[in-house]
Amino acid sequence: MRYAAYLLLLAGLVFVSACRASAPPPQPAAENRTLIIFYDPQTGKQPLLEAVRRQQAKVLYDYKNFNGMALSVPPGQNIQKTIRLFEKVPGVLSVQQDKRMQLM
């Protein structure tokens, strides 16, 4: 009788462990490839648009009221190097990666 109880318990443990869903391995977070760039309205956006074309970036949004743009940097380009390049464009005031900000 005792042997049967152990077998039943063992079978139950095997069954439970077999039925347990294993969590998929964690996936690395996708790299944020969106830049927000603000420029001096007196210089205009033409120098920035030329740099966007040279870098093969894509304009996602043109913030006309704020003199800024959201750009998508192509995969394969080093994001930090691209930020430094855009910071050197005449008229560019700031370059930063897009990120979620929470107000407290």
Side-chain angles (χ1 to χ4, degrees), residues 2 7 19 21 28-30 41 47 50 56 75 81 85 94:
R2 193 174 231 187
L7 276 178
C19 291
E50 290 172 17
Q56 299 175 343
K81 185 177 178 183
L85 185 140
S94 69

Side-chain angles (χ1 to χ4, degrees), residues 9-28:
L9 178 62
L10 181 60
L13 290 173
V14 169
F15 178 75
V16 169
S17 66
C19 291
R20 185 185 314 167
S22 61
Q27 298 294 321

Side-chain angles (χ1 to χ4, degrees), residues 15 22 35-36 55 100 102:
F15 178 75
S22 61
L35 301 180
I36 306 297
Q55 290 301 307
R100 180 178 293 190
Q102 185 173 349

